[in-house]
Amino acid sequence: MNTVIRKAEKRDVSSIRKLIVELAEFEKAGDQVKITERQLEEDGFGESAFYQAFVAECDGQLVGFSLSFVRYSTWRGKMLYMEDLYVTESHRGQSIGSALLEKQLDYAKESGINFLCFQVLDWNQPAISFYKKYDVTYDPEWINGIIPVR
Amino acid sequence: MNTVIRKAEKRDVSSIRKLIVELAEFEKAGDQVKITERQLEEDGFGESAFYQAFVAECDGQLVGFSLSFVRYSTWRGKMLYMEDLYVTESHRGQSIGSALLEKQLDYAKESGINFLCFQVLDWNQPAISFYKKYDVTYDPEWINGIIPVR
């Protein structure tokens, strides 16, 4: 199949949001997606973009995406945090996920960033197997907290 | 004691780095701190600052700090990620940690950001007890991975 991996454009935000919801449903958190297409459009493009996204397009449809932002580590300085990497079920097994991850690694390299970090669910065995190729190390001791701002 | 909580300035980076190392040593990872004072100075100040830091100063010495950056969540949009919150041992029990966290919450509010997120080590009971005041929820299923960029 003709799958093209390319930088995301504003016209992609509606399809990207659908894929975000698909991924959240797989993570048993479909009801957690509060982001709007407008936020995605405002935050991802132009001079002050907060994230970088790449998409996989096959026969005019988006079938996968990867999305990252620059995080700041007081141990290592700037790191690329890959927030999402997703390929829709019908298009798995074609190395599209690897290609989308490679785009983020290339972006990191061009930006002088030496590490890419991410999170996986501890029960997501397909993802854990996928990342084995990439010399990954895990820090299972850290737990994530979230506080509402009032 | 006269403890002042204020925004970090360039002249603070040497003291901040010392506190970063103290915190990493407490986390049994003192050898993980690769960041330099120069990086901290270049990355935290001016128009394109990657992080926001507040410091606690007592009798001319820095005794604590909090440091955050804006992360991007595909569920919620912009969130404030508090990378570090630390008070040196001799100055604990004086609500300095709360004051440093409040500064980050105020910053989030001023920036239109609705959630502050952070990580703690699962064995760090003093920290876990501290955050109980703040309506925190935890996501213990997520594990952190890191990939070197080549």
Side-chain angles (χ1 to χ4, degrees):
Chain A
M1 286 197 247
N2 295 320
T3 304
V4 176
I5 311 289
R6 60 171 173 79
K7 204 163 169 13
E9 297 171 18
K10 278 191 185 184
R11 63 183 166 97
D12 298 318
V13 296
S14 173
S15 300
I16 290 173
R17 192 180 181 285
K18 285 193 187 86
L19 294 171
I20 288 169
V21 172
E22 259 188 55
L23 172 56
E25 284 168 352
F26 170 79
E27 293 169 336
K28 299 171 188 165
D31 61 334
Q32 297 287 311
V33 181
K34 311 294 186 200
I35 204 164
T36 62
E37 288 179 21
R38 186 168 172 180
Q39 273 176 283
L40 283 168
E41 188 173 327
E42 284 178 356
D43 295 340
F45 305 91
E47 289 270 309
S48 56
F50 280 93
Y51 68 82
Q52 302 77 41
F54 296 94
V55 295
E57 185 171 8
C58 182
D59 298 332
Q61 299 285 314
L62 291 201
V63 298
F65 76 110
S66 61
L67 187 149
S68 70
F69 59 87
V70 178
R71 67 160 286 190
Y72 202 77
S73 162
T74 47
W75 294 358
R76 300 175 191 266
K78 283 177 258 180
M79 298 173 80
L80 195 64
Y81 189 105
M82 189 169 64
E83 166 78 359
D84 283 347
L85 172 60
Y86 183 70
V87 177
T88 199
E89 199 166 0
S90 56
H91 286 69
R92 292 184 197 156
Q94 300 170 35
S95 300
I96 295 172
S98 303
L100 287 164
L101 171 52
E102 292 293 340
K103 284 281 188 190
Q104 296 288 353
L105 291 169
D106 289 348
Y107 176 83
K109 198 166 185 174
E110 287 158 20
S111 310
I113 293 175
N114 298 322
F115 294 92
L116 178 143
C117 53
F118 62 97
Q119 296 190 327
V120 285
L121 285 156
D122 56 7
W123 50 258
N124 188 354
Q125 276 306 327
I128 291 166
S129 298
F130 169 81
Y131 287 115
K132 275 190 183 148
K133 285 180 294 209
Y134 292 94
D135 196 16
V136 61
T137 48
Y138 288 103
D139 261 330
E141 283 182 312
W142 291 95
I143 49 175
N144 296 283
I146 181 169
I147 293 174
V149 175
R150 298 189 199 285
Chain B
M1 285 196 248
N2 295 321
T3 304
V4 176
I5 311 289
R6 59 170 175 79
K7 203 161 171 14
E9 296 171 21
K10 278 190 185 184
R11 64 181 165 97
D12 298 318
V13 296
S14 173
S15 300
I16 291 173
R17 191 180 181 285
K18 285 195 187 86
L19 294 171
I20 289 169
V21 171
E22 258 188 55
L23 172 56
E25 283 168 354
F26 171 79
E27 293 169 337
K28 298 171 189 165
D31 60 333
Q32 298 286 311
V33 180
K34 311 294 186 200
I35 203 162
T36 62
E37 289 179 20
R38 186 167 172 179
Q39 274 176 284
L40 283 168
E41 189 174 327
E42 284 178 357
D43 296 341
F45 304 92
E47 290 270 311
S48 56
F50 280 93
Y51 68 81
Q52 302 78 40
F54 296 94
V55 295
E57 185 172 9
C58 182
D59 298 331
Q61 300 284 315
L62 292 200
V63 298
F65 76 110
S66 61
L67 187 150
S68 70
F69 60 87
V70 177
R71 67 161 284 189
Y72 203 77
S73 160
T74 48
W75 294 359
R76 300 176 191 265
K78 284 177 257 180
M79 298 172 81
L80 195 65
Y81 188 104
M82 188 168 64
E83 166 78 358
D84 282 348
L85 171 61
Y86 183 70
V87 177
T88 198
E89 199 166 1
S90 56
H91 285 70
R92 292 182 197 157
Q94 300 171 37
S95 300
I96 296 172
S98 304
L100 288 164
L101 171 52
E102 291 294 340
K103 285 281 188 189
Q104 296 289 352
L105 290 168
D106 290 347
Y107 175 84
K109 198 165 185 175
E110 287 157 21
S111 310
I113 293 175
N114 298 323
F115 294 92
L116 177 144
C117 54
F118 61 96
Q119 296 190 327
V120 285
L121 284 157
D122 56 8
W123 50 259
N124 188 353
Q125 277 306 327
I128 291 167
S129 298
F130 169 81
Y131 288 114
K132 276 190 181 146
K133 286 180 294 212
Y134 292 95
D135 196 14
V136 61
T137 49
Y138 288 103
D139 261 331
E141 282 182 312
W142 291 94
I143 49 175
N144 295 284
I146 180 167
I147 293 173
V149 176
R150 296 186 201 287

